[in-house]
Amino acid sequence: MQGGSSGIGYGLKYQARCISDVKADKDHTSFLTGTLSLKEENEVHLLRLSSGGSELLCEGLFSHPNEIWDLASCPFDQRIFSTVFSTGDSFGAAVWQIPEPYGQSNSSTLECVASLDAHVGKINCVLWCPSGKSDKLISMDEQNFVLWSLDSSKKSAEVLSKESAGMRHSLSGGAWNPHDLNSVAATSESSIQFWDLRTMKKVNSIERAHVRNVDYNLKREHILVSADDESGIHIWDLRKAKVPVQELPGHTHWTWAVRCNPEYEELILSVGTDSAVNLWFASASSERKASESPVEASRLRVNPLLNSYTDYEDSVYGLAWSSREPWIFASLSYDGRVVIESVKPFLPRR
């Protein structure tokens, strides 16, 4: 199915690449996004969906000193988040705290909780432990990843361990396994690597060229989804990971990111440099559910694309499901356009 967009829009002043669901906010559907301006003072916007679901409101606007290349919200404190940033000459990473009180009338200054300064090369991302209670986080550059312990009350972060992936691998990102908190998947130019945080050693890998992004299925313990630059989307059962259990065509240009729905295990979102957001139905099981009619099952096997949201004029890089309302997602195109959409018409029958 092809469609435009009936979503709720919000425009940032500058270009942008990253958006994050504020998981720790249990009272509102909230997102954080940051800008990517080389010459101007950059901004972090705290956005909240109105109670009626008809407006996207800026609840806080904060100045950030550098271009923001990655942003991730802390899972246990809604005022804390991390950024990876560029100064123009080098990359850095830090954990920030939103000041109180705050509002959109003037740009407030963020409070730096800790600088993640154990890197020399280009930092790609920061991963928060998905348990929602842990103070652990990981920062990753092209050759190394570092495990940290954060103490926000003391405004400090301690390096617990550091390991190199080796010169043959250029790490680009990753995902922390929500089913096994000692396991992290890291993407590189030629593979998906699986690391054990207890030993800081690589324990397995999937040889795959140009993997751009990965995400774990929160409802299926052994399922990982990957986005490849040119060959689309692959769904892996990690118990038998020699070949993917399902392949999706992805996008007409590079597939940039994938996100599994936090509640509905069959729903996957993807974004790409073709200026589109795609919603997929992807069952990694060969068994048809009792509630699924033979006609519906046949149709989904033929065309797993449920909808394509095409109301964008630039590449779409940022993508986040709402953990509070899992039928809602936010997307972000490079020109700074945030769009909130509902997938309620496409929810699987329970």
Side-chain angles (χ1 to χ4, degrees):
M1 176 185 290
Q2 300 294 319
S5 175
S6 57
I8 304 165
Y10 177 88
L12 306 178
K13 187 187 295 187
Y14 308 119
Q15 295 171 328
R17 298 176 75 97
C18 45
I19 192 165
S20 176
D21 170 43
V22 184
K23 295 181 177 64
D25 188 350
K26 306 302 182 184
D27 299 320
H28 311 90
T29 299
S30 304
F31 300 92
L32 277 170
T33 183
T35 63
L36 189 74
S37 173
L38 181 61
K39 296 181 180 180
E40 305 295 336
E41 183 83 1
N42 282 280
E43 299 173 341
V44 172
H45 294 240
L46 173 60
L47 306 177
R48 284 180 179 163
L49 193 61
S50 64
S51 57
S54 59
E55 292 181 277
L56 188 58
L57 309 172
C58 181
E59 290 293 319
L61 177 61
F62 315 99
S63 60
H64 187 282
N66 305 109
E67 300 173 294
I68 301 171
W69 286 82
D70 176 76
L71 185 151
S73 180
C74 171
F76 59 83
D77 189 326
Q78 62 180 303
R79 292 175 56 210
I80 294 177
F81 64 95
S82 62
T83 61
V84 172
F85 52 84
S86 171
T87 64
D89 299 320
S90 62
F91 277 75
V95 177
W96 307 89
Q97 181 167 283
I98 294 173
E100 287 188 325
Y102 55 82
Q104 64 167 335
S105 57
N106 57 346
S107 183
S108 303
T109 301
L110 294 166
E111 192 176 333
C112 185
V113 175
S115 179
L116 308 179
D117 54 4
H119 295 270
V120 176
K122 177 187 175 183
I123 306 173
N124 289 308
C125 68
V126 173
L127 307 176
W128 290 85
C129 181
S131 71
K133 303 173 184 177
S134 173
D135 60 354
K136 304 294 189 299
L137 63 161
I138 289 171
S139 57
M140 191 180 301
D141 64 39
E142 291 179 323
Q143 303 297 335
N144 310 276
F145 65 91
V146 183
L147 179 64
W148 301 83
S149 176
L150 177 70
D151 189 334
S152 55
S153 62
K154 295 182 179 179
K155 295 185 181 179
S156 65
E158 176 189 0
V159 175
L160 297 178
S161 52
K162 181 178 180 179
E163 188 56 53
S164 171
M167 295 299 293
R168 293 190 302 109
H169 302 282
S170 180
L171 301 178
S172 56
W176 203 317
N177 190 339
H179 308 288
D180 179 1
L181 300 182
N182 293 311
S183 178
V184 168
T187 58
S188 76
E189 292 179 344
S190 59
S191 66
I192 306 170
Q193 304 177 12
F194 299 93
W195 291 77
D196 189 326
L197 298 180
R198 293 166 295 190
T199 61
M200 294 297 280
K201 300 297 181 185
K202 186 174 73 171
V203 294
N204 201 1
S205 65
I206 298 173
E207 299 306 314
R208 197 82 192 175
H210 306 298
V211 177
R212 177 69 63 178
N213 190 241
V214 292
D215 194 30
Y216 283 95
N217 190 314
L218 286 171
K219 296 297 182 179
R220 301 287 297 279
E221 184 175 351
H222 303 288
I223 300 300
L224 180 80
V225 181
S226 66
D228 300 356
D229 271 355
E230 298 173 357
S231 56
I233 299 163
H234 296 84
I235 301 171
W236 305 89
D237 186 330
L238 299 180
R239 295 167 295 183
K240 43 184 180 181
K242 289 186 178 181
V243 294
V245 295
Q246 190 173 358
E247 299 184 24
L248 304 172
H251 291 253
T252 57
H253 201 244
W254 288 350
T255 303
W256 195 265
V258 286
R259 294 290 182 269
C260 298
N261 188 279
E263 183 64 31
Y264 301 95
E265 65 184 57
E266 304 94 342
L267 296 184
I268 296 172
L269 282 171
S270 65
V271 295
T273 52
D274 59 353
S275 307
V277 179
N278 288 342
L279 175 66
W280 307 91
F281 183 98
S283 176
S285 172
S286 59
E287 298 177 3
R288 179 168 57 87
K289 292 188 175 182
S291 61
E292 193 175 81
S293 71
V295 173
E296 182 181 25
S298 176
R299 179 184 66 81
L300 291 170
R301 280 196 296 270
V302 172
N303 184 15
L305 181 63
L306 296 177
N307 198 31
S308 187
Y309 305 88
T310 57
D311 191 24
Y312 305 89
E313 297 180 358
D314 211 335
S315 298
V316 186
Y317 292 123
L319 182 63
W321 286 105
S322 167
S323 55
R324 181 174 175 268
E325 295 184 282
W327 52 88
I328 288 174
F329 72 86
S331 57
L332 172 66
S333 53
Y334 188 58
D335 55 6
R337 175 174 167 79
V338 179
V339 178
I340 302 294
E341 296 275 5
S342 171
V343 302
K344 270 190 175 180
F346 307 102
L347 293 181
R349 288 181 293 178
R350 291 288 179 87

